[in-house]
Amino acid sequence: MNQVNKRENYCGYPMGEDGRKMLADMSHHHAPVTDWTLELLDIQPDEIVLEIGCGGGHALKRAACRITSGKLYGVDYSETAVLAAKEENAENIAGGSLTVIEASVSRLPFPDHTFDKVYSIESYFFWPDLEQDFKEILRVLKPGGKVYITGCVHWRDGLSEEEKAHLSSMNMRNLSFAEFGELLTAAGYQDVHIHGKEGREWICGEGTKAE
């Protein structure tokens, strides 16, 4: 949920009360892929972690349970999403273990080499410039840090015309396994792995910043 055409792509930029309802629906619908992503992420208690496109904040709440001496950050381009995420995670924010900020993936408000891990769930579809945005994530990762970018669907042979039309109508850039790997590699990541989930259409691109 980052820099998109706000009027044309409501899923990419939820607004107002309707946006809040959509965020709640998305959180429920995306719970299984969120759990899978956090499994892959394997957050350690002392790590500094960022979620990009945090939406209503449900993934942040799950991730926060895994961090004790570290710190968790969430960013989203939508003001409505940031407010919802702050409300959902008020206790962790008050305790100082979580910070939620309104910001775009294209210009992350953090110094170089800040995070051990960065993740994003169901958000990359709407990013304005994937290669440059992957480079921006690389900038804020520590040497040896890892990124995990997840979607619940990937481009592949055999997509129905209905599925293609839906993706097109939402202005979603939907990558294949090969395209995901190529983009992460072109952005400068090492040890690139593209994960799939048996029996699902899920995809997760993983890459590491060089030491």
Side-chain angles (χ1 to χ4, degrees), residues 109-122:
F110 306 104
D112 297 356
H113 317 311
T114 297
F115 298 101
D116 296 290
K117 288 172 183 170
V118 176
Y119 71 96
S120 183
I121 303 168
E122 295 294 294

Side-chain angles (χ1 to χ4, degrees), residues 2 5 19 32 60 83 115 151-152 155 162 180 209 211:
N2 284 280
N5 187 312
L60 286 174
L83 291 172
F115 298 101
C152 67
W155 191 265
E162 184 180 356
F180 220 137
K209 184 172 182 173
E211 295 278 2

Side-chain angles (χ1 to χ4, degrees), residues 64 67-68 70-73 91-99:
I67 294 177
T68 52
K71 182 73 186 277
L72 181 62
Y73 292 82
E91 187 175 339
N92 288 321
I93 291 171
S97 62
L98 171 63
T99 298

Side-chain angles (χ1 to χ4, degrees), residues 7 14 17 28 42 53 64 72 79 83 92 101 103 114 120 122 142 145-148 157 163 183 188 190 192 209:
R7 293 184 178 179
E17 198 55 40
H28 174 74
D42 190 26
L72 181 62
E79 179 183 5
L83 291 172
N92 288 321
I101 301 169
T114 297
S120 183
E122 295 294 294
K142 295 177 182 178
K146 291 180 175 291
V147 66
Y148 298 81
D157 292 337
E163 288 172 309
L183 277 172
Q190 298 185 346
V192 171
K209 184 172 182 173

Side-chain angles (χ1 to χ4, degrees), residues 103-173:
S104 168
V105 63
S106 301
R107 189 173 294 178
L108 295 169
F110 306 104
D112 297 356
H113 317 311
T114 297
F115 298 101
D116 296 290
K117 288 172 183 170
V118 176
Y119 71 96
S120 183
I121 303 168
E122 295 294 294
S123 172
Y124 89 83
F125 305 116
F126 307 111
W127 294 359
D129 186 334
L130 280 178
E131 187 170 336
Q132 290 303 313
D133 295 337
F134 285 165
K135 288 179 179 178
E136 176 66 354
I137 295 170
L138 190 69
R139 179 187 68 79
V140 300
L141 276 172
K142 295 177 182 178
K146 291 180 175 291
V147 66
Y148 298 81
I149 309 293
T150 303
C152 67
V153 63
H154 64 274
W155 191 265
R156 65 198 186 283
D157 292 337
L159 276 178
S160 70
E161 291 305 315
E162 184 180 356
E163 288 172 309
K164 290 176 183 178
H166 174 70
L167 293 169
S168 177
S169 70
M170 300 286 287
N171 294 318
M172 293 171 64
R173 184 171 179 190

Side-chain angles (χ1 to χ4, degrees), residues 25-47:
D25 288 344
M26 290 170 69
S27 294
H28 174 74
H29 178 69
H30 296 154
V33 75
T34 294
D35 289 341
W36 180 62
T37 305
L38 294 177
E39 230 177 84
L40 293 171
L41 201 61
D42 190 26
I43 295 171
Q44 299 304 301
D46 62 345
E47 288 183 326

